Amino acid sequence: MTNVKPIIIAGGGIGGLAAARMLAIKGHRSIILEQAPNFAEIGAGIQLGPNTHRMFDRLQVTKAMHEIAHFPENIIMLDSLTGEQVLTMPLGQKLESHFGKPYAVIHRADLHTVLYDACKTMGEIDLRAGVEVSGYTDTGDGVTVEIVGGQTIEGSALIGADGLWSKIRAKIIEDGDPIVSGHIAYRAVLPINEVPPELDQWMEDVVLWAGPKNHLVHYKLRRGELFNIVAVFHSQRYVEGWDEYGDPEELYEHFKGTRPEVRALLNKIDVWKMWVLCDRIPVKEWTKNRVTLIGDAAHPMLQYLAAGAGMAMEDAVCLVDLLETYDGDIVRTFADFPGKRYMRTGRVQLTARFYGDIYHAEGVTRELRNLMLSSKKEGNPYAGIEWLYGRNTDLPGGA
Ligand SMILES: Cc1cc2nc3c(=O)[nH]c(=O)nc-3n(C[C@H](O)[C@H](O)[C@H](O)COP(=O)(O)OP(=O)(O)OC[C@H]3O[C@@H](n4cnc5c(N)ncnc54)[C@H](O)[C@@H]3O)c2cc1C
């Protein structure tokens, strides 16, 4: 395949690296163009459901990922006004026996490094940082990718893995800017020995404190050495932003009235990074001839289902599986790809919105939420999430 031009990937985040790695495993060359000066990740912890671990197997990075991840025991939802334990979903051995794969949490930077290191070792992958894609021209039998500064790069196809504000998407789908949810996430990471003692009983769990128009999530990271904190609240004050610094005073104001454990944790942090959370309405088409999208560029979602990185990796695996099925026929592969994915990714997009409403419920809705969720004690604790964590038969290569 050496005389075929490489596939160009715009964006070296989790989706872009996964796509390059998967292509290389199947012998295809690619060039990843990343606008940041270095291949690095910002942000804090992310949760990785069992479906994500099947992708690690396919990407052949399971061992490296296991060495740096943390494996919590339960997901616990507490009411942040009363401290009532609303819901417990066991993780650990019980979840692993059920789904055949574990549940982990990992620092985004660690996951990114695992994928980056796996790409670096492969001769099929050309990693270029500090290169911002500004546009492309589809020439019919290839693509010419335009770079800020005037350079162009020729490829056989283009995969837009350039995230929420994708420039590639803008040329394929005319649905304007992402939808600003009005939900703001403040994120921080603490050294584990600085976690206040009020939280001692939940150190091995992923904990979500649900409050009126706000919630707080915390869990251990990096083999248990760090503690990840995400505080989310409703505010119309921000329009867009990524990796900005948050205002602690505003955060405390939104969480006043919550349990002392919540406030003790918030008080520990002086410097918060802030995300304005956005998503889009699902679409069923995101390919145009030799150009397609993966990850947040194709189907950005609110993070309430903790599934965006997993969807980006599934996209990468599905796309390359299809390419193999169609014997390297890029146009046919790209044409069929969104059809294989949009029902699943769209379901995540819409369910994430619904979960956000449940976490942030107030008044009678909050009382009903607590009643309905806490009464679900019998039966399969994973019934509601089976569709996401269970085996995904849509992936042509299986998983
Ligand atoms: C607060 C928060 C919590 C989250 N928690 C979880 C979780 O627990 N579990 C989970 O699975 N997911 C989680 N997610 C979602 C997850 O982070 C994203 O879905 C995932 O990062 C998408 O990967 P991606 O590669 O598609 O996009 P991105 O990670 O956004 O990567 C896009 C890359 O493209 C580059 N780029 C952009 N434009 C250009 C350009 N023009 N030229 C070149 N390069 C470009 C960017 O610099 C970036 O490196 C969370 C998200 C947020 C905001």
Side-chain angles (χ1 to χ4, degrees):
M1 292 186 195
T2 43
N3 49 5
V4 176
K5 284 188 192 145
I7 294 176
I8 300 180
I9 301 170
I14 290 162
L17 291 174
R21 169 77 174 172
M22 203 59 209
L23 284 166
I25 288 171
K26 299 290 180 187
H28 302 279
R29 291 186 304 136
S30 66
I31 303 175
I32 310 185
L33 306 175
E34 168 55 46
Q35 65 181 3
N38 299 301
F39 280 85
E41 255 299 344
I42 49 175
I46 53 175
Q47 304 178 50
L48 303 167
N51 58 310
T52 320
H53 293 260
R54 291 187 202 103
M55 299 308 108
F56 293 135
D57 287 352
R58 298 291 312 278
L59 292 160
Q60 300 171 15
V61 294
T62 300
K63 183 167 175 289
M65 210 284 305
H66 275 221
E67 280 166 9
I68 196 78
H70 181 69
F71 296 86
E73 290 175 2
N74 301 286
I75 294 179
I76 296 177
M77 182 175 171
L78 300 156
D79 185 307
S80 75
L81 297 182
T82 60
E84 175 192 349
Q85 189 151 329
V86 177
L87 187 76
T88 301
M89 182 167 103
L91 303 176
Q93 199 47 55
K94 182 159 181 168
L95 174 131
E96 190 165 349
S97 323
H98 187 88
F99 290 110
K101 291 288 166 195
Y103 194 99
V105 289
I106 194 167
H107 199 297
R108 278 174 75 99
D110 295 340
L111 172 57
H112 191 266
T113 302
V114 164
L115 292 171
Y116 178 69
D117 288 348
C119 286
K120 247 184 1 191
T121 59
M122 304 192 79
E124 294 87 349
I125 305 173
D126 179 353
L127 291 144
R128 301 187 194 174
V131 182
E132 184 180 346
V133 174
S134 55
Y136 68 86
T137 306
D138 191 326
T139 56
D141 59 354
V143 286
T144 304
V145 175
E146 292 132 26
I147 307 302
V148 170
Q151 196 201 344
T152 55
I153 302 175
E154 307 280 323
S156 60
L158 173 63
I159 299 174
D162 50 342
L164 178 67
W165 296 94
S166 170
K167 290 206 177 79
I168 312 301
R169 179 187 177 108
K171 277 193 76 171
I172 299 181
I173 308 163
E174 288 172 9
D175 60 353
D177 284 345
I179 299 165
V180 178
S181 65
H183 301 189
I184 313 296
Y186 276 37
R187 307 176 90 185
V189 176
L190 266 184
I192 201 73
N193 55 9
E194 289 182 23
V195 178
E198 285 91 334
L199 299 176
D200 275 358
Q201 74 180 100
W202 298 292
M203 291 304 284
E204 296 309 320
D205 304 315
V206 173
V207 176
L208 186 148
W209 296 86
K213 292 199 171 100
N214 67 53
H215 79 272
L216 172 77
V217 174
H218 53 76
Y219 50 82
K220 277 184 181 174
L221 279 183
R222 195 172 287 164
R223 298 177 293 250
E225 296 155 24
L226 299 174
F227 200 67
N228 181 63
I229 307 161
V230 187
V232 179
F233 58 88
H234 292 205
S235 170
Q236 294 302 333
R237 218 159 69 78
Y238 308 93
V239 181
E240 68 179 74
W242 178 259
D243 203 28
E244 301 288 330
Y245 288 98
D247 173 4
E249 291 308 317
E250 180 174 28
L251 180 67
Y252 304 142
E253 184 59 27
H254 281 277
F255 281 83
K256 78 175 182 221
T258 57
R259 291 278 303 172
E261 297 91 334
V262 171
R263 285 178 290 116
L265 188 55
L266 297 181
N267 274 322
K268 273 277 175 193
I269 314 278
D270 297 323
V271 180
W272 293 91
K273 287 289 186 77
M274 185 194 86
W275 272 258
V276 174
L277 303 174
C278 302
D279 69 353
R280 287 185 183 273
I281 303 287
V283 294
K284 63 190 290 183
E285 185 51 80
W286 57 73
T287 285
K288 224 178 198 176
N289 198 36
R290 288 180 175 268
V291 185
T292 197
L293 306 173
I294 60 170
D296 280 5
H299 40 66
M301 50 194 63
L302 300 178
Q303 87 287 11
Y304 301 129
L305 209 49
M311 289 302 110
M313 286 186 277
E314 285 187 7
D315 284 347
V317 170
C318 177
L319 187 67
V320 180
D321 278 353
L322 268 183
L323 192 60
E324 193 172 39
T325 305
Y326 295 147
D327 206 18
D329 182 337
I330 284 175
V331 173
R332 196 171 168 209
T333 298
F334 282 17
D336 271 14
F337 167 61
K340 292 271 178 227
R341 295 291 296 154
Y342 79 92
M343 289 294 274
R344 179 165 169 83
T345 55
R347 187 170 179 181
V348 177
Q349 286 173 289
L350 296 183
T351 310
R353 284 185 175 192
F354 176 62
Y355 272 36
D357 290 344
I358 291 178
Y359 298 160
H360 297 168
E362 53 189 337
V364 177
T365 315
R366 169 182 152 259
E367 290 180 44
L368 276 168
R369 171 198 70 197
N370 292 357
L371 179 72
M372 288 164 72
L373 293 181
S374 59
S375 60
K376 277 183 61 186
K377 299 233 185 304
E378 304 297 319
N380 174 5
Y382 311 116
I385 202 76
E386 205 77 61
W387 66 272
L388 179 60
Y389 293 164
R391 287 197 168 274
N392 177 7
T393 48
D394 296 344
L395 294 183

